[in-house]
Amino acid sequence: QVQLVESGGGSVQAGGSLRLSCAVPGYIFSGNCLGWFRQAPGKEREGVAAIDRDGDRLYADSVKGRFTTSKDNAKNTLYLLMNDLKPEDTAMYYCAADRGGYNYCTLAEGWYMYWGQGTQVTVSS
């Protein structure tokens, strides 16, 4: 079973920053679209950011200019740097990977095959 492992969540005041990390198995890391999603209580899971195998990035409008996703190919690790956090960013954050083999990346949840267990981010006002 493929396992992605997130870390780096926590509690922060509005305006603060956090960096999430996601360890991805090496055999699916380099050839895949890797994404970040979040789910707040009572809401559907939404795509936040994604990065394709060439390093091109996608962002949800709600986080553009504040969040940056990147990856370290040597460490097989995906990152999400979150700046200027707002209370509405409070959610469980998940990383995900698609099945690979496609030159395509998206923030659509249904595209992704492999998921982590999530890490909680709480932003207080």
Side-chain angles (χ1 to χ4, degrees):
Q1 182 177 355
V2 175
Q3 188 170 10
L4 283 63
V5 182
E6 304 96 337
S7 61
S11 297
V12 64
Q13 290 190 329
S17 299
L18 284 174
R19 189 180 77 160
L20 306 183
S21 299
C22 175
V24 182
Y27 68 94
I28 66 169
F29 182 86
S30 61
N32 289 56
C33 171
L34 305 172
W36 288 99
F37 292 77
R38 66 185 182 187
Q39 187 168 22
K43 294 187 176 181
E44 294 186 351
R45 189 155 54 184
E46 62 173 347
V48 173
I51 184 167
D52 70 12
R53 60 188 183 186
D54 297 325
D56 294 325
R57 298 165 174 83
L58 300 171
Y59 295 100
D61 288 343
S62 59
V63 306
K64 280 181 181 176
R66 300 189 298 122
F67 289 13
T68 302
T69 190
S70 61
K71 59 182 180 176
D72 186 328
N73 293 332
K75 296 182 178 180
N76 294 333
T77 301
L78 175 71
Y79 300 103
L80 183 68
L81 176 61
M82 305 183 293
N83 294 323
D84 190 23
L85 282 161
K86 303 176 181 182
E88 52 264 42
D89 295 318
T90 295
M92 185 72 78
Y93 283 72
Y94 302 87
C95 61
D98 72 356
R99 67 180 65 208
Y102 299 92
N103 188 20
Y104 177 76
C105 210
T106 175
L107 295 179
E109 179 182 359
W111 180 251
Y112 292 81
M113 173 173 285
Y114 308 110
W115 292 85
Q117 295 300 307
T119 186
Q120 178 68 38
V121 171
T122 302
V123 184
S124 58
S125 57

